Amino acid sequence: MSVWAILAAAGSGERLGLDRPKAFAPLNDRPLVAEPLERLDASEWVDGIVIAAPPEWEEPCILVAEEIAASKVAKAVTGGETRSESVRAALAEVPDDATVVLVHDAARPLITNEVIERVVTTLGDGWDGAVPVLPIADTVKRLEGEAVAETLDRVGLVTAQTPQAFVADVLRDAFSTLQRSVTKSTDCASLVEANGGRVRAVEGDPRMLKVTTPADLGLVASWL
Ligand code: CTP
Ligand code: MG
């Protein structure tokens, strides 16, 4: 088994509102991307890493990798307009002999080796993909403008995190078949699902919070 990780780090971080992309937001005294990169590099499950970097930030990503002495980074590619386009660009650089692709959001710095192991070892036995999920504690409502249109039945609803693991050929196939829906999807599992793949849910980790707002950044920093 050869596992390659794609670190999706190409977003601009608009909601964070800094003067630089989210991947380079300060997390304690390092750029945010250093944390998930170091953790992926240290995992015995990961053989190689491709980073999707914000345009013009490919070189700084490689410098971060050098600074933390990450030994598995093959390349930093230029990301795309959307997350899926960024993953597509990185996937093109994953070697053909990779059998498993792990896709992770750089915006979730606190990735753990336990979750990596959980998603990777779930594959096989008819499962094409694995995604870490969390139960929803709050009541979920659908709005139309400001009006509540509907209260959804919470049973069976979860939120999805990354890292998500896929049989490499299944992910490649999903990207080559589903040209249009690729742009809209916010995770890779949805592409594999739409392409008829079987994706299994495994236990997520609340500390793998996605940094979206400045408050999230403070919270993640306090957990380091
Ligand atoms: N991402 C990416 N390429 C894009 C957009 C997003 O690689 N074109 C990555 C981000 O870097 C992040 C993950 O996808 O690690 C989740 O995206 P999100 O949290 O929405 O990050 P941003 O798009 O950067 O933030 P915002 O939506 O606030 O601009
Ligand atoms: Mg975004």
Side-chain angles (χ1 to χ4, degrees), residues 142-190:
R142 188 176 61 76
L143 302 186
E144 279 167 16
E146 285 176 355
V148 174
E150 187 187 5
T151 298
L152 302 175
D153 185 354
R154 205 174 54 195
V155 173
L157 291 184
V158 292
T159 57
Q161 300 183 306
T162 71
Q164 302 183 348
F166 303 95
V167 173
D169 283 337
V170 172
L171 188 64
R172 291 187 187 106
D173 190 53
F175 269 97
S176 60
T177 327
L178 302 164
Q179 294 292 351
R180 243 170 305 139
S181 46
V182 160
T183 342
K184 277 197 233 148
S185 68
T186 52
D187 77 350
C188 293
S190 58

Side-chain angles (χ1 to χ4, degrees), residues 84-167:
S84 310
E85 292 306 331
S86 296
V87 174
R88 184 204 289 281
L91 188 58
E93 297 296 329
V94 169
D96 291 344
D97 61 5
T99 50
V100 171
V101 175
L102 189 74
V103 185
H104 184 61
D105 293 330
R108 302 180 191 274
L110 303 186
I111 178 176
T112 68
N113 199 41
E114 287 72 29
V115 179
I116 296 174
E117 175 166 335
R118 224 174 279 155
V119 291
V120 169
T121 57
T122 289
L123 299 179
D125 289 334
W127 296 106
D128 301 307
V131 2
V133 302
L134 293 179
I136 296 175
D138 295 319
T139 302
V140 183
K141 296 185 189 292
R142 188 176 61 76
L143 302 186
E144 279 167 16
E146 285 176 355
V148 174
E150 187 187 5
T151 298
L152 302 175
D153 185 354
R154 205 174 54 195
V155 173
L157 291 184
V158 292
T159 57
Q161 300 183 306
T162 71
Q164 302 183 348
F166 303 95
V167 173

Side-chain angles (χ1 to χ4, degrees), residues 7-17 21-23 32 52-54 79-87 104-108 186 210-213:
L7 188 59
S12 58
E14 217 162 290
R15 290 168 288 179
L16 204 50
K22 197 195 293 193
L32 180 139
E81 289 274 307
T82 64
R83 181 189 187 277
S84 310
E85 292 306 331
S86 296
V87 174
H104 184 61
D105 293 330
R108 302 180 191 274
T186 52
K210 182 157 74 74
V211 171
T212 304
T213 63

